[in-house]
Amino acid sequence: MGKLSFWSFLSEQIRDLPLPKESANGKTITVAGANIGLGLEASIHFGNKKSNLLIATCRDAAKCEQTLEVLRERCAETQPTSIDSWPLELSSFDSVRSFADRFDVEGPEHLDVLVANAGTFTLVYTQTQDDWEIMLQVNYLSLALLSILLLPHLLRSTTCDDPSRLVLVSSLGHYQCDPMLKDSHNWDDVLGTINTERFGVSAQSRYNLSKLFQVTFTRELAARLPSPTPLVVTAVNPGLCHSSIMRDAKNSLFGVFFAVVKWLFARTTEMGSRNIVYAALATNEQAMHGKYMSGCEVVEECDYLLSAEGKAFSQKLWRDTIHVLSKVDDRVSQIISMYLPAK
């Protein structure tokens, strides 16, 4: 069963992770949240592996310009054919829709790799302009919307022998969600229940839930693709890394505690990004499909998701997610009907 122990966590944290030998030559790659942290380090690796076109997304135009400068400098010796950076604000459904619109018009016909990275953490319950709790929207709903809207590009001109890749950046925190979901069989509306401030869990628990939802999305999307698949979908745990995701909480008691934990146990962001690059390029892709990966290996997700109750929850969450996102953009239901068999 899928359990997380301190010793398994520590042994993985101190282990050097491999970079895949495979090149990104000729591939078109999009990385969400590429201005800092894991997204930036993964983008640098993709650039140095000679991707044909690298599109790095950032929250606004100014960050896009800064990121382009960094990528051109860090990938100078093995310059990809083209590097671009487009704005994408994941706390806004309109921004996700606009990005997808632009990709349809200006982007390549075929997308080889989409890295659904980017995440946020906030101690205070906060709602976006779309009336969703911000971690639920940024870390899950908007990335799910982006993945579905770009699904036609990921599936276009691909083959089972050379499938495209969708990599969702999850977290080992999903192992801690079991107690919060013990009554989930009584929830008529999973997303609506968790979205309310009355749900009454800690900020860390909300973050962990958003990461568990990425694992369920991976599993449910993979189950609806044909076999053998022309698109490999994988959820990846980069491990505990030195990053700025806790920047909004750094002056709190929790932020101080987390800073100490990072000082003791965190790996470099570059090392963590190797998990992402491995899932995007390594050739044992069929073994990774629909799976959760950590340390560049397929591992079991948490006990709850492996249980019969967890599998029923996963399917319910998929239905709720498609229902919500179909209201955000009509294309969602059209894409689901066209590309994913009914299940």
Side-chain angles (χ1 to χ4, degrees):
M1 298 292 281
K3 293 185 181 296
L4 177 67
S5 70
F6 173 75
W7 296 113
S8 63
F9 161 76
L10 186 60
S11 64
E12 182 177 321
Q13 286 293 120
I14 63 177
R15 180 160 54 93
D16 283 346
L17 301 179
L19 271 173
K21 298 177 182 179
E22 293 78 8
S23 169
N25 188 34
K27 294 186 180 296
T28 297
I29 300 174
T30 296
V31 180
N35 60 301
I36 57 175
L38 291 162
L40 177 61
E41 294 295 338
S43 296
I44 291 167
H45 279 306
F46 290 134
N48 284 326
K49 283 183 168 290
K50 302 182 180 180
S51 57
N52 182 59
L53 170 61
L54 175 62
I55 300 175
T57 84
C58 308
R59 294 179 62 181
D60 55 50
K63 288 183 172 62
C64 286
E65 288 300 319
Q66 294 167 5
T67 300
L68 275 176
E69 290 182 13
V70 173
L71 289 174
R72 286 168 178 159
E73 178 182 348
R74 297 282 298 275
C75 303
E77 294 185 7
T78 53
Q79 188 78 34
T81 302
S82 179
I83 303 177
D84 206 350
S85 187
W86 296 3
L88 174 61
E89 172 53 77
L90 291 167
S91 66
S92 166
F93 287 142
D94 283 345
S95 179
V96 178
R97 295 174 64 199
S98 295
F99 180 90
D101 290 341
R102 180 177 178 182
F103 203 97
D104 287 342
V105 175
E106 300 179 29
E109 182 176 342
H110 175 57
L111 177 61
D112 295 285
V113 178
L114 171 60
V115 176
N117 174 54
T120 190
F121 178 90
T122 178
L123 281 176
V124 180
Y125 178 88
T126 306
Q127 282 196 327
T128 68
Q129 62 186 10
D130 298 307
D131 296 326
W132 288 97
E133 192 275 323
I134 191 167
M135 287 188 280
L136 180 57
Q137 179 165 347
V138 171
N139 300 352
Y140 176 61
L141 285 171
S142 285
L143 288 177
L145 178 61
L146 177 69
S147 300
I148 292 170
L149 292 180
L150 295 187
L151 193 61
H153 294 278
L154 286 163
L155 292 172
R156 193 169 291 140
S157 303
T158 190
T159 67
C160 299
D161 294 329
D162 186 22
S164 52
R165 313 286 180 97
L166 170 58
V167 182
L168 293 101
V169 182
S170 184
S171 167
L172 55 79
H174 92 276
Y175 284 107
Q176 301 172 10
C177 292
D178 294 26
M180 289 177 282
L181 298 172
K182 64 179 184 297
D183 295 324
S184 61
H185 59 279
N186 295 321
W187 301 347
D188 292 329
D189 178 0
V190 174
L191 292 171
T193 299
I194 291 170
N195 187 49
T196 64
E197 191 170 6
R198 296 190 307 275
F199 187 56
V201 297
S202 68
Q204 183 65 54
S205 294
R206 287 187 182 274
Y207 176 84
N208 291 341
L209 278 170
S210 71
K211 294 301 182 176
L212 177 136
F213 290 174
Q214 292 178 340
V215 178
T216 67
F217 182 84
T218 297
R219 185 163 72 180
E220 293 302 318
L221 176 56
R224 287 161 174 79
L225 288 163
S227 180
T229 181
L231 169 63
V232 170
V233 188
T234 311
V236 171
N237 165 42
L240 177 62
C241 302
H242 289 287
S243 73
S244 60
I245 193 168
M246 293 289 179
R247 56 190 175 274
D248 292 338
K250 65 180 180 180
N251 295 323
S252 67
L253 183 61
F254 176 79
V256 172
F257 167 77
F258 191 77
V260 173
V261 172
K262 282 203 305 182
W263 181 76
L264 289 171
F265 302 115
R267 58 165 54 122
T268 66
T269 310
E270 184 278 325
M271 186 63 68
S273 74
R274 296 184 181 196
N275 285 282
I276 299 170
V277 179
Y278 189 91
L281 297 179
T283 52
N284 57 332
E285 63 273 2
Q286 297 296 338
M288 298 186 284
H289 183 50
K291 303 299 184 180
Y292 171 73
M293 294 187 66
S294 189
C296 298
E297 298 175 349
V298 173
V299 297
E300 287 187 324
E301 56 266 41
C302 68
D303 281 352
Y304 178 79
L305 291 182
L306 294 171
S307 69
E309 183 181 355
K311 291 175 182 177
F313 172 83
S314 181
Q315 293 171 11
K316 181 190 290 187
L317 178 60
W318 171 267
R319 292 192 296 269
D320 285 358
T321 301
I322 300 306
H323 176 72
V324 166
L325 297 182
S326 294
K327 291 182 177 179
V328 172
D329 194 306
D330 292 339
R331 288 173 291 184
V332 170
S333 56
Q334 296 169 7
I335 290 169
I336 296 297
S337 298
M338 183 175 298
Y339 292 97
L340 303 178
K343 182 177 179 181

